[in-house]
Amino acid sequence: MSARPGPAPEPPRGRRPGRPREGETGREEILDAAAELFCQQGYAATSTRAVALAVGIKQASLYYHFPSKEAVLAELLSGTVTPSIRAAKALERLPGRASARLHALATFDVGLLCSGRWNLASLYLLPELRQPRFGSFQADRARLRAAYGRAVAAAVAEGDARPDDVDLATALVFGLVESVISVRGDRQHGADLGDLVTTVPTASLRLLGVPANRLPAVRRESARLVATLGAARG
């Protein structure tokens, strides 16, 4: 007669059973759970208690990592912008044609917006983001847009881009890059988004009037720049 199985091991103190979460730390698991809930059932409808339950921890444990739900959202949103700001700064220091650096920035940025399990950038339109507590995120997003503006202006100065209005062209390029947010939202969850990473940066250059016969060389140079960014991160 086989022995009866013993009782299941109890979870660590303060933690309840929950489904596996992405992340190597409790803080990362909280961010993963919050990202899912904010994107699927809405920010306003999600409480810190719901996030804690999704992770399998007590609400007090969540507050050990984050003082409020707003702080969780702020960190999630920061992750959609600050890596691209760092990439833009790095690209400005690298040699090469301005059009290739712009293409590389758009490639990196689109890749970032398409990465991760949850379409976090879809939260950009939340009315809560108009509150002063999210001023840091809005300032970061403005800095990223300014980096695009410098890249567009440099491409114009070098003669590759020929827009009639640099400010309008910058707004259109930035808007085209961020259009992947809505495209991703329209696609089935988990769909391959690799086509956006390759087509949107090139479409940005076409929008600026970069001649078609220059695009292959620009894309090759951009690929080398993106690879340099990846090596620097590694």
Side-chain angles (χ1 to χ4, degrees), residues 149-195:
R150 293 191 297 272
V152 170
V156 171
E158 290 186 0
D160 275 351
R162 304 166 186 175
D164 294 328
D165 185 318
V166 172
D167 288 338
L168 176 59
T170 298
L172 292 174
V173 168
F174 195 59
L176 179 58
V177 168
E178 291 200 337
S179 71
V180 303
I181 300 168
S182 60
V183 174
R184 179 178 181 180
D186 290 338
R187 293 190 179 183
Q188 185 176 1
H189 181 66
D192 182 17
L193 302 170
D195 57 332

Side-chain angles (χ1 to χ4, degrees), residues 42-176:
Y43 174 74
T46 301
S47 65
T48 53
R49 182 175 182 273
V51 175
L53 285 172
V55 179
I57 60 175
K58 293 182 178 179
Q59 194 171 8
S61 299
L62 183 149
Y63 287 131
Y64 173 81
H65 296 283
F66 296 97
S68 64
K69 185 173 75 166
E70 290 82 3
V72 177
L73 177 61
E75 183 154 335
L76 288 171
L77 292 174
S78 177
T80 70
V81 176
T82 53
S84 292
I85 294 174
R86 291 194 296 266
K89 291 179 179 178
L91 287 166
E92 288 175 350
R93 296 191 294 267
L94 293 175
R97 293 199 66 80
S99 55
R101 293 198 300 273
L102 174 58
H103 189 281
L105 174 58
T107 299
F108 183 96
D109 202 10
V110 171
L112 180 66
L113 292 173
C114 290
S115 65
R117 291 197 295 167
W118 313 111
N119 190 12
L120 286 170
S122 64
L123 303 174
Y124 285 177
L125 298 180
L126 286 174
E128 289 85 353
L129 296 190
R130 303 190 191 102
Q131 298 172 3
R133 70 188 71 183
F134 293 106
S136 178
F137 164 71
Q138 298 293 4
D140 283 343
R141 197 166 171 217
R143 278 193 283 272
L144 179 58
R145 187 187 184 285
Y148 273 96
R150 293 191 297 272
V152 170
V156 171
E158 290 186 0
D160 275 351
R162 304 166 186 175
D164 294 328
D165 185 318
V166 172
D167 288 338
L168 176 59
T170 298
L172 292 174
V173 168
F174 195 59
L176 179 58

